[in-house]
Amino acid sequence: MVAHLIERLPIARLRERPDFLRVASTRVRHATPGLVLQMREHTSQEREVGELDTLRLGFTVSKKVGNAVVRNRVKRRLRAVAEAVLPIHACGHRDLVIIGRQNALRRSFIALQNDLEKALKKLGAYEGSA
């Protein structure tokens, strides 16, 4: 059996509030039952300065979803979904913010993956695997 190697997209993390606000200010978003995906494309200056084809990713979960334990569980599930989907299917040169919703804990892992893929397609950031 020959192992098929897939070229994976490098993913960096968004950690500072101004980065999250910059993504939110573009108002490019798609909501699914388990998550909301916000997107901002990098400017031409950022593409020249930044690493080749980098995707930056951030996670957030509102206090409306639950207490700290519940919010952390939602973030862990969303990180796992993002790890499975984004390196293979996401286009580079973008900032993405995944916002967890209350349904994220009740939905199956496959349903969350489908939610993320659907949101990527709606925002034009989906790139099929080779």
Side-chain angles (χ1 to χ4, degrees):
M1 186 166 140
V2 178
H4 186 282
L5 297 176
I6 299 173
E7 189 174 322
R8 294 193 171 246
L9 181 67
I11 298 177
R13 289 293 301 272
L14 294 177
R15 297 195 186 271
E16 297 184 10
R17 182 171 165 76
D19 293 331
F20 283 85
L21 293 176
R22 195 174 305 118
V23 173
S25 70
T26 63
R27 304 182 72 90
V28 176
R29 53 180 279 160
H30 182 74
T32 63
L35 57 90
V36 176
L37 181 65
Q38 296 177 328
M39 183 186 77
R40 180 183 81 86
E41 291 193 41
H42 294 169
T43 63
S44 57
Q45 291 174 343
E46 289 173 320
R47 288 178 186 216
E48 291 172 7
V49 173
E51 293 180 28
L52 182 68
D53 230 18
T54 299
L55 177 74
R56 297 190 322 158
L57 177 64
F59 298 92
T60 185
V61 180
S62 166
K63 285 188 177 181
K64 292 178 189 176
V65 172
N67 63 17
V69 174
V70 172
R71 292 193 311 268
N72 285 332
R73 283 188 66 204
V74 169
K75 280 192 251 184
R76 279 195 303 273
R77 291 196 80 204
L78 293 176
R79 274 195 298 269
V81 166
E83 238 175 64
V85 173
L86 295 180
I88 299 167
H89 295 297
C91 298
H93 298 299
R94 287 169 172 72
D95 290 347
L96 299 175
V97 173
I98 299 175
I99 302 170
R101 300 178 84 179
Q102 280 186 319
N103 284 340
L105 281 181
R106 290 190 289 272
R107 291 179 68 77
S108 70
F109 189 77
I110 299 298
L112 282 174
Q113 281 182 319
N114 291 338
D115 286 349
L116 183 55
E117 288 177 6
K118 179 181 175 184
L120 285 171
K121 287 176 184 175
K122 286 286 187 178
L123 297 179
Y126 187 86
E127 188 176 272
S129 61

